[in-house]
Amino acid sequence: MQTAHEGVTVVALLADPDAPTEIAQRMARLLPARLAERGGQGRRFDVEVTSEPFTAGTEDPSTLMRRIMDRGSKENWDIVVALTDLPLHSHGHKLVVDLSHEHGLALLSLPSLGGLRLHARTRQAVEEAVLSLAGPRTADAGGPRQSQPLQGPFASRFAPVRPGRIGEEETPDLRYVVSGPRGYVRVLLGMVRANRPWRLVPGLSKALAAALATGAVATVNSTVWSLAASLSTPRLVIAMVGSVALMIGWLIVDANLWHRTTEASPEARKRAALYNASTVLTVGIGVLTCYVGLMVINLVWALFILNEQVFASMTRNPLHATEYWTLAWFVASVATAGGALGSGLESDEAIRAAAYSKREQDRRSALHDDNGE
């Protein structure tokens, strides 16, 4: 690692591919000015972005910090802030950030920042980390920098973030973790956000084709008209919940998305539960998005194709707005069940690519290889 030269501190954002790189590139345009403004004393900062899979094959923070240190030693960087969208764990807690003032390193786990305002929170966390790492040195110009507590999102009394324990042999000298139920929810939402569940919709083309075909046929079926007209609201809700649950369960089982751990430790079981909860939420949000889309499409199709006289003669009910809405709702449930069958035509790789971030796909592929699957 180099020292700051010519009054310019070179900051490297070492980002995992996909979302972390996108966030880093977006931040890089704003960080130099913001850091110079907050750093004061006429300091200048130059920010570089490097995208590479530095978390490949491991989730151990100590191993990752050594990798970051080795990577930084090969470049003319003063400070390295590494960004990953994998949830990291340390001593039974979920890691937010590790900092080494001696080596000018920071490791930031994006899921621990939550699922809302991710770009703003990441930028604020990176700013605080850089300003702390660029702080004054303890003794002479060549001595290690002081370990300074972070401010911003880490000082808020509403944020479930606190200093964490560091082992004697570990590289960091300052660590922040999240704990408790609020911390669990924060990381869970961050993992779902990292998976970007809205990508599941275009990623399931065969399932959507089956659902759309089922919906189109069901909308013009007089038996379906009669069923929809006779169903009460609670039964329509039950049909919706059942079809969505069927789709979620089928996708998870068919594509082998359920995380199984071979370790017997309580910490490993907690990690597996966290991964599975994020999978259910990710797939659930994607399926609900599909469901709403199907309902809208079915409603438009019904408005275009249905004849009031024919409908009334078959169901003995006039065709009003309520009937259109009830039919579209019920047909969406039927179509979703049909889409679950159609999802069996998708490859497991296609479903995983639609449901998970790039790093999470690599992590799960490595687990499958280790288990001989």
Side-chain angles (χ1 to χ4, degrees):
M1 196 77 65
Q2 306 295 319
T3 58
H5 49 284
E6 299 181 358
V8 178
T9 301
V10 180
V11 179
L13 300 180
L14 181 63
D16 264 335
D18 207 10
T21 296
E22 295 174 10
I23 293 173
Q25 291 173 340
R26 185 173 175 178
M27 280 194 302
R29 297 191 293 266
L30 304 174
L31 276 179
R34 292 182 62 89
L35 291 172
E37 179 183 353
R38 297 185 61 186
Q41 301 176 348
R43 300 194 65 170
R44 292 186 296 158
F45 294 85
D46 185 20
V47 178
E48 302 177 6
V49 177
T50 299
S51 178
E52 59 183 59
F54 70 92
T55 58
T58 184
E59 298 175 61
D60 178 48
S62 297
T63 302
L64 295 177
M65 287 295 280
R66 287 193 294 270
R67 287 184 180 180
I68 299 166
M69 187 189 309
D70 293 340
R71 184 66 177 87
S73 65
K74 301 175 184 178
E75 303 288 345
N76 192 34
W77 298 335
D78 302 308
I79 294 173
V80 181
V81 180
L83 309 176
T84 180
D85 54 2
L86 283 181
L88 302 177
H89 301 77
S90 175
H91 302 289
H93 295 293
K94 299 160 188 67
L95 179 70
V96 180
V97 63
D98 266 350
L99 296 102
S100 172
H101 290 78
E102 178 181 357
H103 302 96
L105 307 174
L107 171 62
L108 180 63
S109 176
L110 299 183
S112 62
L113 299 179
L116 302 176
R117 301 178 60 247
L118 180 60
H119 288 269
R121 287 179 174 178
T122 304
R123 189 193 68 242
Q124 191 174 12
V126 170
E127 288 177 13
E128 297 296 340
V130 171
L131 293 174
S132 177
L133 295 172
R137 297 179 181 273
T138 55
D140 51 61
R145 293 183 173 89
Q146 299 174 4
S147 178
Q148 303 179 18
L150 301 187
Q151 302 300 316
F154 303 95
S156 170
R157 64 189 178 95
F158 297 107
V161 181
R162 62 178 179 81
R165 181 165 65 91
I166 302 174
E168 294 182 359
E169 303 298 323
E170 294 187 87
T171 304
D173 50 48
L174 186 61
R175 167 174 291 158
Y176 284 89
V177 298
V178 291
S179 59
R182 291 178 61 229
Y184 181 92
V185 172
R186 182 186 178 108
V187 174
L188 178 60
L189 294 178
M191 293 173 67
V192 174
R193 170 68 171 77
N195 288 336
R196 295 191 279 192
W198 53 87
R199 299 190 307 181
L200 191 67
V201 178
L204 298 176
S205 57
K206 295 182 177 66
L208 284 175
L212 289 171
T214 303
V217 173
T219 301
V220 297
N221 187 293
S222 59
T223 303
V224 174
W225 300 349
S226 300
L227 281 173
S230 63
L231 289 176
S232 62
T233 299
R235 290 194 174 190
L236 287 170
V237 172
I238 292 173
M240 177 184 69
V241 172
S243 63
V244 169
L246 175 64
M247 184 71 155
I248 293 172
W250 182 265
L251 287 173
I252 291 175
V253 172
D254 186 57
N256 198 19
L257 302 183
W258 198 254
H259 179 82
R260 298 178 178 85
T261 179
T262 57
E263 302 178 40
S265 65
E267 186 174 343
R269 288 196 294 270
K270 288 180 181 179
R271 285 202 302 267
L274 182 64
Y275 282 122
N276 288 329
S278 72
T279 295
V280 172
L281 279 179
T282 298
V283 177
I285 292 172
V287 171
L288 282 174
T289 303
C290 291
Y291 188 95
V292 173
L294 287 171
M295 187 182 297
V296 172
I297 293 173
N298 291 330
L299 180 60
V300 173
W301 175 238
L303 288 170
F304 173 75
I305 202 70
L306 294 187
N307 180 274
E308 184 176 351
Q309 287 75 23
V310 175
F311 184 91
S313 66
M314 292 292 182
T315 64
R316 297 180 182 178
N317 289 309
L319 187 57
H320 296 317
T322 302
E323 282 67 35
Y324 278 114
W325 168 253
T326 302
L327 179 62
W329 188 1
F330 179 62
V331 169
S333 299
V334 175
T336 301
L341 299 177
S343 67
L345 302 174
E346 305 278 3
S347 67
D348 293 353
E349 292 75 14
I351 296 176
R352 292 193 190 104
Y356 293 131
S357 67
K358 182 67 170 64
R359 303 308 319 141
E360 181 65 7
Q361 292 176 54
D362 294 343
R363 187 190 71 82
R364 288 176 178 260
S365 296
L367 284 176
H368 280 287
D369 293 340
D370 291 342
N371 295 333
E373 296 183 6

